[in-house]
Amino acid sequence: MKLLELYIFRRAFQMFLVTLLPVLTIIWTIQVLGRINLVTDTGQSIGSFATLATFILPTIIPVVLPFAIVIGVTQTLNAMNNDSELAVIDAAGSARSVIYRPVILLAVLMAAFSFLITNFVEPASRVSAREMVAEAYADLLSSVIEEKTFRSIEEGLYVQISERHSNRVLTGIFLVDYRDPNWDLIYYAREGSIAEDGKTLTMRDGEVHRKAKDGRISIVKFVSYAFDLSSMTESTGEAPVFSSDRSLAFLLNPDPTDKTFLASPGSFRAELHRRLSDWILPIVFALLSLVVTGGARSSRRARLHPMVVALAICFALRWLTFYVTNLSRNNYSITPLIYGVPIAFGLLAIFMLATNRQLTMPSLLTDFTGRWVGKARNRLVNGASGSKGGAA
């Protein structure tokens, strides 16, 4: 790599990291705080919470990484243009490839990294997080919930126990279940016990009150009643696993007897092609950034900031890939578009770079932007002058 190419690569990579790390930290924090109920509801330690947060991180990286490349490349090349470095490179007779090569190299490296995260690290992290949450809730009734205190087990399910005894025996059980939109269920039992696998609460000597949507109420007494807890206590190995949790090997050769696959084969197909196509986005985003900022430009004319233009195009492309992927779940014929959309954008960008074309705004939009910026500047200047006059 030439000295100039190394210089551009280093600046773009540094700006990429400066962008990626703060944005990743913010989104990661938001996602982690959404799981704080693991600590508050199940009494897990802060170490367990930190472990869960680590499992969440790989699910965010592939989404943020392409946009960090856009910001890193556009900010680097725009700064070089403002400092007349790009103009000097052109005046020295250097080929545009001197600018393109380090950016493409950075994009290819990040695309390979994104492929590894998406196809190998992220599925394993999702499974580990699911197992951890399931284990945390498995013993919730028998060991964590405080006596004589109402606690929310999950949305629409509340429980209170009077006393806890050995051998997973509970007395004075009061359970409210609002999860079924057609019925409001209230259970009361003198005693009960949790199965060893944590999947069943067996209540004895009690009654259940059922209230229908039309207000009708029925009361049923029972000697023994088994309440299913599997929705919150099943381990990942036995519970249905979503397509996003499956390994790449399973998606390439799914088990035809798998219940989740049989229920929604389209989601598994869409997930496979998403994983095999998402790694293209960092390269395409880098090419689009080069189209917007890859050449020397005059900074005197009124126009949108190159980063805004590049991000708008990349956001549109990202939304389009999401939309096409979701459509392919129910329509197999749309599957080629999962690859075709980003490749088409990439080929268009390559054509523009090969013919030294730059992306420019329509004159109408340019004139409108110029007038808007001029009015905003005049208002700021007049406002500043008025405040100084008032102060005097």
Side-chain angles (χ1 to χ4, degrees):
M1 185 180 293
K2 299 178 182 179
L3 183 62
L4 183 57
E5 294 175 352
L6 183 62
Y7 167 75
I8 296 175
F9 178 85
R10 184 175 65 251
R11 287 192 60 174
F13 182 68
Q14 290 174 348
M15 186 57 62
F16 163 76
L17 290 180
V18 168
T19 303
L20 177 66
L21 297 180
V23 175
L24 192 62
T25 301
I26 294 172
I27 299 178
W28 184 34
T29 302
I30 295 173
Q31 294 291 324
V32 168
L33 291 179
R35 308 293 180 89
I36 193 68
N37 62 314
L38 180 70
V39 176
T40 58
D41 289 348
T42 65
Q44 296 295 303
S45 65
I46 191 64
S48 299
F49 183 66
T51 302
L52 179 63
T54 304
F55 291 147
I56 294 174
L57 183 59
T59 66
I60 305 172
I61 293 176
V63 179
V64 178
L65 187 144
F67 294 101
I69 289 180
V70 175
I71 297 175
V73 172
T74 54
Q75 183 62 24
T76 298
L77 296 181
N78 188 62
M80 293 180 64
N81 180 73
N82 293 338
D83 295 337
S84 301
E85 292 176 298
L86 295 184
V88 170
I89 292 174
D90 288 344
S94 299
R96 288 287 178 87
S97 59
V98 174
I99 302 173
Y100 299 162
R101 273 197 296 264
V103 173
I104 297 301
L105 176 61
L106 174 63
V108 170
L109 292 176
M110 293 302 105
F113 178 71
S114 178
F115 181 85
L116 292 175
I117 293 292
T118 301
N119 289 282
F120 300 102
V121 180
E122 180 183 348
S125 298
R126 288 181 180 274
V127 171
S128 298
R130 188 180 296 275
E131 288 177 345
M132 183 176 177
V133 172
E135 291 174 0
Y137 280 102
D139 270 344
L140 185 60
L141 288 176
S142 60
S143 62
V144 176
I145 290 182
E146 298 178 5
E147 298 175 350
K148 298 180 176 65
T149 302
F150 259 108
R151 293 294 298 272
S152 173
I153 305 300
E154 60 181 67
E155 186 175 357
L157 182 62
Y158 308 88
V159 66
Q160 180 191 42
I161 58 175
S162 296
E163 295 180 356
R164 181 186 297 110
H165 302 277
S166 58
N167 298 324
R168 307 169 71 91
V169 175
L170 310 173
T171 58
I173 302 172
F174 189 71
L175 191 147
V176 180
D177 187 359
Y178 292 151
R179 294 176 298 176
D180 190 340
N182 298 318
W183 297 94
D184 292 341
L185 303 173
I186 300 177
Y187 301 85
Y188 173 77
R190 294 187 181 276
E191 69 173 19
S193 60
I194 304 291
E196 290 294 335
D197 57 7
K199 296 182 180 181
T200 306
L201 168 62
T202 302
M203 295 181 285
R204 292 178 289 275
D205 189 14
E207 58 187 35
V208 54
H209 296 217
R210 298 192 302 176
K211 181 179 179 181
K213 294 176 63 176
D214 58 5
R216 291 183 296 108
I217 298 176
S218 61
I219 302 176
V220 178
K221 294 187 177 182
F222 57 82
V223 177
S224 179
Y225 187 94
F227 187 84
D228 184 20
L229 300 175
S230 60
S231 61
M232 68 174 183
T233 61
E234 283 181 322
S235 64
T236 304
E238 300 174 353
V241 181
F242 297 110
S243 58
S244 58
D245 303 326
R246 296 295 191 178
S247 65
L248 180 61
F250 183 91
L251 294 178
L252 290 171
N253 185 23
D255 182 2
T257 62
D258 185 88
K259 294 182 180 180
T260 310
F261 173 72
L262 293 176
S264 180
S267 63
F268 282 77
R269 181 183 63 249
E271 176 66 17
L272 171 63
H273 293 292
R274 182 194 69 82
R275 292 193 195 177
L276 296 180
S277 62
D278 269 5
W279 67 272
I280 305 175
L281 291 179
I283 299 176
V284 176
F285 281 16
L287 292 172
L288 293 173
S289 301
L290 286 174
V291 171
V292 176
T293 60
R297 308 171 314 280
S298 172
S299 58
R300 296 182 179 180
R301 53 179 178 168
R303 57 184 177 82
L304 290 176
H305 193 282
M307 185 184 299
V308 176
V309 177
L311 283 175
I313 297 173
C314 293
F315 271 118
L317 173 57
R318 187 55 168 161
W319 174 85
L320 189 57
T321 57
F322 275 129
Y323 179 71
V324 170
T325 301
N326 289 332
L327 285 181
S328 68
R329 295 181 178 180
N330 300 319
N331 191 343
Y332 179 77
S333 61
I334 298 179
T335 301
L337 292 180
I338 299 177
Y339 303 91
V341 169
I343 291 176
F345 274 78
L347 292 177
L348 178 61
I350 291 174
F351 171 76
M352 296 184 69
L353 293 174
T355 55
N356 291 327
R357 299 173 185 265
Q358 286 189 352
L359 186 65
T360 57
M361 293 190 301
S363 57
L364 181 63
L365 183 58
T366 302
D367 296 339
F368 174 79
T369 304
R371 289 195 299 269
W372 185 83
V373 172
K375 291 180 180 180
R377 185 185 298 111
N378 292 335
R379 288 184 179 180
L380 291 174
V381 172
N382 294 335
S385 300
S387 61
K388 290 182 180 178

